[in-house]
Amino acid sequence: MQVPGPFEYERATGVDHAVELLDRHGEGARVVAGGHSLLPMMKLRLANPEYLIDINDLADELDHIVFEPGSVRLGALVRHRRLLESDELAEIFPIFRDAERVIADPVVRNRGTLGGSLCQADPAEDLSTVCAVLGATCVVRGPGGVRELDFHDFHLGPYETAVAPNELLVEVRLPRKGTGASAYEKVERRTGDWAVAAAGVALWTSGGRITDARVGLTAVRGDDEALSAITDLLRGAPPSDDLFREAGAAAARACDPETDQRGTAAYKRHLASELTVRALRRAAERLGATERV
């Protein structure tokens, strides 16, 4: 039987209390909400926290979806199920519903949280790509106050974020930038599995031309600088299938996948290309910007 090592447990009564506990216990403390990533790692002894700080009682402060004229604010404790079922969120950012439909299973979606997914920083995590292409800002709170981090600065690498041991992710903010649409495409070995590869895109258009675009890749070690070059390729051009094929080829060159039990590197690179094309087509269809999808 797999069992975690010994640890102390305390339920936080508020965000300030959670930050106080994190500051007191230091690097030996971990926050738990849904627990679907942390607890399996504890059972395997891949994570051995000395203290678990439960934040499930902080819904009043951290479980919110707020729609403002210039942004959408998502609390870190918002559950996957709520992200999936929010019609207003799907209308503004349909990529969320695309991604949430293929994340795990109902048990996980009922308990897992946005903040937990992002702070796990798993390279195969779907919502990290979603937030990256939407230009998210992560808000963290610590003893010194509040910090706002661009999403590309939030993730430092696999399983590593810029959140200090005595800080707590409290909110994710998504800018609303006019006429746009988004989409997410994923290939998995079986329903609810981690991605073999996935692609997320966001497009903004004006006057029949793409004014801005972002492409992100999941589980294939995408290179941020190379992916940003796809933005330059798409920006200013009218949406077309030929353009999307060119972007897909660039996405294949922008990743460096590994061969493993989920597939060969060549297969994953092919998926990066094809899924990027499919996501661009779906986003363009949602905008009504192309006739052929």
Side-chain angles (χ1 to χ4, degrees):
M1 180 181 294
Q2 298 171 343
V3 295
F7 60 89
E8 299 292 327
Y9 171 89
E10 188 164 354
R11 294 182 76 92
T13 58
V15 170
D16 289 339
H17 184 218
V19 170
E20 176 190 336
L21 292 172
L22 288 169
D23 192 44
R24 182 193 311 165
H25 297 305
E27 294 187 2
R30 293 289 297 272
V31 169
V32 63
H36 287 286
S37 295
L38 178 59
L39 296 182
M41 292 179 70
M42 290 174 62
K43 289 180 180 180
L44 294 171
R45 305 295 177 99
L46 296 175
N48 294 286
E50 298 173 12
Y51 302 90
L52 273 191
I53 301 168
D54 191 327
I55 63 169
N56 279 291
D57 290 342
L58 309 190
D60 288 346
E61 295 179 81
L62 299 181
D63 185 7
H64 57 264
I65 302 178
V66 179
F67 299 95
E68 298 177 338
S71 67
V72 176
R73 295 168 36 224
L74 305 176
L77 203 56
V78 174
R79 310 286 175 179
H80 291 294
R81 178 180 176 180
R82 188 175 177 193
L83 293 171
L84 173 64
E85 295 179 349
S86 172
D87 291 334
E88 193 169 358
L89 181 64
E91 182 178 353
I92 300 168
F93 299 124
I95 190 173
F96 266 100
R97 182 164 287 172
D98 291 345
E100 288 290 358
R101 281 173 171 161
V102 292
I103 290 178
D105 54 40
V107 173
V108 171
R109 291 195 294 267
N110 284 342
R111 295 297 301 164
T113 65
L114 171 65
S117 294
L118 299 184
C119 287
Q120 179 70 6
D122 192 311
E125 212 292 309
D126 301 287
L127 291 188
S128 294
T129 299
V130 170
C131 289
V133 301
L134 294 178
T137 296
C138 295
V139 182
V140 299
R141 189 188 300 183
V146 173
R147 293 195 297 144
E148 296 185 8
L149 300 170
D150 180 85
F151 195 77
H152 289 293
D153 298 324
F154 179 79
H155 275 176
L156 301 180
Y159 305 102
E160 184 180 8
T161 74
V163 181
N166 61 354
E167 290 182 320
L168 181 70
L169 174 66
V170 295
E171 190 174 77
V172 176
R173 296 175 183 168
L174 307 167
R176 301 176 68 172
K177 303 194 303 182
T179 303
S182 53
Y184 193 75
E185 295 283 347
K186 176 179 177 178
V187 166
E188 52 198 343
R189 291 186 302 173
R190 55 184 178 271
T191 301
D193 198 3
W194 296 106
V196 176
V201 307
L203 291 177
W204 293 268
T205 61
S206 179
R209 291 185 176 270
I210 298 170
T211 57
D212 199 7
R214 297 193 183 195
V215 173
L217 298 174
T218 305
V220 290
R221 298 200 301 184
D223 179 85
D224 288 342
E225 185 174 347
L227 288 170
S228 68
I230 303 177
T231 295
D232 297 333
L233 170 68
L234 295 169
R235 189 181 288 141
S240 70
D241 206 60
D242 287 343
L243 178 66
F244 295 163
R245 284 288 177 192
E246 191 175 350
R253 296 191 297 270
C255 64
D256 184 26
E258 292 183 332
T259 295
D260 58 18
Q261 70 273 18
R262 288 186 168 86
T264 65
Y267 172 59
K268 294 178 182 180
R269 198 172 288 110
H270 166 74
L271 287 178
S273 173
E274 182 60 32
L275 295 176
T276 296
V277 173
R278 292 182 188 180
L280 285 167
R281 286 173 177 165
R282 182 185 289 193
E285 181 183 27
R286 286 167 171 166
L287 281 169
T290 58
E291 294 182 1
R292 181 182 184 277
V293 294

